[in-house]
Amino acid sequence: MNMVLNEEQRLLKDTIQDFLSTNAPVTAFRKLRDTQDNQGYSTELWRHLCELGIAAIVMPEEHGGLGFGYLGLGAVLEECGKNLTASPLLASVVLGASALELAGNETQQSLLDEVASGSLTLALAIDEHSHFDPLQTRTSLTENDSGFTLNGHKVFVLDGHTADRLIVVTRSRGEAGSRDGLSLVMLDSQTPGVKIDRHQLMDGRNVASIQFEQVSLPADALLGELHNGFAVIHTLIDRAAICVAAEMLGSAQEVFDRTLEYLKEREQFGVKIGSFQALQHRCAQMLCQLEHCRSAVVGALAALDKGSRGVSVQASTAKALANDCLQHISNEAVQMHGGMGVTDELDIGLFLKRSRVCNQIFGDSIYHRDRFATLMGY
Amino acid sequence: MSSLDQFRQETREWLSKNCPESQRQPVKKNEIIWGGRRRKFPSVDAQLWFERMRDKGWIAPDWPKEYGGGNLSVDECKILEQEMRSLGCRPPLYDQGLWMFGPALLKYGSEDQKKEHLTKITQGEIRWCQGYSEPGAGSDLAGLKTKAEDCGDHFLVNGSKIWTTYADQADWIFCLVRTNTEVAKQQGISFLLIDMESEGVTTSPIELISGESEFCQTFFDNVKVPKENLVYEVDKGWEVAKEVLKHERKLISKLDHMTEKEDRSVMELAKEVIGLDSNGKLRNSSLRDQLTRHLMAEQADQLSGLRIFQQMRAGQPDPKLPLTMKYANTSEQQRKDELFLAILGNQGLTWQDEAFPKSYRTLVQNWAYNKSLTIAGGTSEIQLNIIAKRALGLPE
């Protein structure tokens, strides 16, 4: 299992780093937020990123994939996290394209080319409650003569208000809580009976809540096997948890670096405040936590590339550690910046808010510790 | 097949042929193979294992052949370590000379010194101990006062060293001594090798909270030490000492070699003592969560170790990561020890009373012993200072 970037992956990371720091620094994100941009991300930026190939990094090669692997994608996500770059990379590629790749038939998979080029965007509607827990899915899918009828309500759908197509996790049979009876469907977001409401969260990003009312779907809307969607969802959780963790790692590194810089500049009592042992030890502990988190995330990305059997356990470790790490470091960053830390003028608060949103994407730490324990059999 | 794959295969075959079955079980304290003048093998198998590894040069696999080493590359050493671990092979020799002093002597010693001392280490003929800390110089190690006076053909040494691990059973001691009081404290220290049988050397064990007494205090009373026992240059011993410390920290973070390993994993113990409910979950949900936190941290620790190795191999070492390891690993070990106690409840409150299962008692005694992990080899607080200054560049 290789955890070190090879030369091509390093080159990719450097390219994206240069591109984002020039074209999409935190200030660009701040502007999106301040103008309450309806889209929530810049279409032009996404087009550019797709031209650079980032949407195709982990796609199968027959659909224009680049073969950089998840280690390469992780490096890109880390850069996005550093710059708080808003883009449909997570929603459309990591979640949407993954679902197509894992469950789609040939016709459905042919859409991957369009996703890779950026001309089509996807969103995955999975959450229904206050907390991530796909087994509790109640949104119902019933079979009829012409296909299916979809009824229910989804929340916290990332980029759900702008996506061209929605992939929806539904219950086609059984009780909430059961693994059996989960099914995925894909539909055009303009389908009659679909009502999409846009919400702006504290991190400036957009999510949608989506109502499905007697939505008629053709039989070929089904993605994968009827009732047997759990295995696909399980793999989606692994990929999503690891990729979100990679983005969070980038944010944690950035907010930590900015805090260190501040401690080396700011003077009180006639000395740099970074000379105080009370702050030094906390910074040293943050580095330990950050390196720990980095090992877990990079190890999990490498496990995805290798297709390791233990990848689910590693995915939950990576997400839980990234959640805790970014939460802690962003809190400390605010505290160590003193009064400036609680102003909107400084970017520190943006990282703080992003951290709490990321916590909830595909499972908070409590969810992932429970998942880890269950997978380990205790 | 690449030459490394071939090496792996040959190593695996050699080990499975040559490592006696009894030497593949977790090692108990009384089964450890120590070298030295008073060397006594705990069993016939242990002697066989030691002699085979010695003759193969794999006591010190990365050292040059002329000192009894194995001349293996970094990759080959890693493979040997992995194959030994996967078979469960015990270390064929325990010695601080082998782990800490030897690597530093390789870098700083004269050819004569290397030939003399390294060879005796790899042959298991001499057992070493370390003389660094003093009653008045702990974390402030450079404040040490044990004096070595230049008397022409020899040094005259006076003073005392503390936490000299197993000094009562060691043959030689590598020591930091004060040779100059006129300069900044780090610059007046020399690195001296002293035969424990020299006249004027006495040592007495110190009893610890775990009931063990592997640490000693060693006294030097007008001890004559030949000039040839000076390593590197006069007043430049601090440089050598830092090299030794590097290996000590690596060692302490790598394995708590002094304690008996747990017979079973913390997860198995929790299942056994706490039990599972009808959903297959640990009956105590709070312990279940604590256990998970620990297992996740342990997984990340292992990945950090692997990451350091892979970075080195790829020629892209990250200087920050290794600095975090001692603090991270020893803190996690102590959290694990507390978890063991929490799981055992009132069954985990003694190691003296033999009415309790041996495996429980070992865990409890380790808990007490392991309090020293965050103190020995640079306290956690010193580690954090080092990280803050060297890894993060925070100002003085």
Side-chain angles (χ1 to χ4, degrees), chain A residues 6 8-9 12 53 56-61 64-70 72 305:
Chain A
N6 63 28
E8 285 111 38
Q9 289 165 332
L12 170 74
I57 289 173
V58 289
M59 290 221 185
E61 277 179 27
L66 298 177
F68 285 116
Y70 278 92
D305 282 332

Side-chain angles (χ1 to χ4, degrees), chain A residues 353-371:
Chain A
K353 291 180 258 190
R354 179 66 182 154
S355 130
R356 301 314 196 269
V357 174
C358 287
N359 269 351
Q360 297 303 327
I361 301 176
F362 270 77
D364 60 14
S365 298
I366 296 170
Y367 174 85
H368 281 287
R369 285 198 293 269
D370 177 67
R371 183 175 186 254

